[in-house]
Amino acid sequence: MIENVFSGSDVSEFRFWMGWADRYVILTHMGPDGDAIGSSLALCHYLRSKGKQAVVLVPDSAPDFLKWLPGADEIKAYSDNPAASDEMVSKADVLCCLDFNVVSRIGNIASAFLYSKAKKFLLDHHPFPGSYFDVILSHPEASSTSELVFHLICALGDFRSMDLNMAECIYTGIMTDTGALSYNSNYSSLFNIVSHLLDKGVDKDDIYRRVYNNYSEDRLRLQGFVLCEKMQVFRDKSTSLITLTDEELRRFNYKKGDTEGFVNMPLQINGVLMSAFFREDKEQGIIKLSFRSVGDVPCNRFSSEFFHGGGHINAAGGEFNGTLSEAVDCFLKGLDVWSGSSEECIRRLFVK
Ligand code: 5GP
Ligand code: MN
């Protein structure tokens, strides 16, 4: 039996829209990850199964390691055709916003989104959802937005007709947002969902291999370089920092997605409680920031206090406008400010 985690009125509003709305555009965040793409494609398959026109529109394209997902070849990237994308957004009846909480996370799609008269539906698990949405289903306690898509389909009474395409996309999102069920996943109802997905025919071992054992040689060598030469460990601060310049990335023929997971690696070191990874992005003219932490150390607060970023308590990110060395200075200053904090969860970072 699947518990309905949504309040009746929120889902009935979406159900009501489904009575008249035909055109759905599903939007997700810049630099889409497995949960962004998995949840979006799962909802897209579901809406199509209900006879709706549905398309997934992302600000920039998905990384190669997600391209095998059913329906991934039909995803539209805003950057490939801005005019057609704007038109799609303006003509939509419903804009489904998945796996992001604030409009700035959809980059160049934001202005078409704000102008659109479509109904705006947010389904997400990031804390602090922004405004601009007509219906908000925000569940920060959920492992992933993909888990919430599973709940949505069930709440709409369609668990039985959930097909293998939907199930594979949902499982991929759950798996990638929980490090293959190794964090953010300590509750039995999630395993109940996984069990239902296996019953639908999902081959979880195969999905694991497709996502995690499918790297290029360049990527693996870049990982070696990072661990050997680029990872700084600040033992007295229980913290680690990895930086990569554009020049270093090019040396290893960097492709989108190649640095996925790097930020998690220093957390394998005994005593490291927070890890940061800064990547120079020459194309966008920014430094892309990623933070990870363990337990009650709030890396989302670190990201928002010092970089105007955000995210979950143990996984956060942001963008820095400036040089890589300025970003590093800001990071070190942030650690200094935090070291003066009397809060227990933060103080733990500075225990020698
Ligand atoms: P990642 O390190 O995988 O890029 O991001 C981890 C999490 O941080 C994301 O799930 C998202 O919640 C958050 N995040 C990433 N980039 C940004 C950003 O630029 N701004 C904000 N507010 N949150 C971000
Ligand atoms: Mn997510």
Side-chain angles (χ1 to χ4, degrees), residues 35 99 125 177:
D35 187 32
D99 203 40
H125 71 136
D177 255 24

Side-chain angles (χ1 to χ4, degrees), residues 34 37-38 41 45 62-75 164-173 175-176 202-214:
I37 297 294
L41 284 175
H45 288 301
D64 284 350
F65 71 89
L66 296 172
K67 295 224 164 118
W68 60 271
L69 275 165
D73 51 341
E74 292 177 62
I75 294 176
L164 182 57
N165 285 343
M166 300 175 212
E168 286 191 331
C169 294
I170 290 170
Y171 183 75
T172 302
M175 181 188 81
T176 52
V202 164
D203 182 340
K204 74 171 185 60
D205 300 349
D206 186 49
I207 290 181
Y208 184 96
R209 272 194 301 275
R210 282 167 188 259
V211 172
Y212 295 118
N213 293 346
N214 207 3

Side-chain angles (χ1 to χ4, degrees), residues 48 97 205 220:
R48 288 180 182 176
C97 302
D205 300 349
L220 215 63

Side-chain angles (χ1 to χ4, degrees), residues 124 171 188:
D124 182 40
Y171 183 75
S188 60

Side-chain angles (χ1 to χ4, degrees), residues 33 102 105 126 288-292 309-312 315-319:
D33 56 12
V102 286
R105 295 280 288 138
H126 295 93
K288 176 71 187 92
L289 316 170
S290 284
F291 301 93
R292 296 293 184 271
H312 314 273
E319 291 176 0

Side-chain angles (χ1 to χ4, degrees), residues 30-134:
M30 291 183 287
D33 56 12
D35 187 32
I37 297 294
S39 59
S40 298
L41 284 175
L43 185 62
C44 186
H45 288 301
Y46 171 68
L47 290 168
R48 288 180 182 176
S49 77
K50 304 299 281 183
K52 307 295 182 187
Q53 286 180 43
V55 65
V56 176
L57 176 65
V58 295
D60 48 348
S61 60
D64 284 350
F65 71 89
L66 296 172
K67 295 224 164 118
W68 60 271
L69 275 165
D73 51 341
E74 292 177 62
I75 294 176
K76 306 285 181 213
Y78 186 93
S79 49
D80 287 346
N81 196 338
S85 304
D86 284 340
E87 191 180 344
M88 210 182 322
V89 171
S90 75
K91 287 189 171 157
D93 296 319
V94 177
L95 295 173
C96 300
C97 302
L98 267 57
D99 203 40
F100 65 93
N101 52 354
V102 286
V103 174
S104 59
R105 295 280 288 138
I106 52 174
N108 289 336
I109 306 177
S111 66
F113 171 88
L114 293 171
Y115 277 116
S116 172
K117 294 196 167 58
K119 291 289 180 196
K120 290 160 185 159
F121 170 60
L122 179 75
L123 183 67
D124 182 40
H125 71 136
H126 295 93
F128 318 118
S131 42
Y132 308 115
F133 306 102
D134 296 294

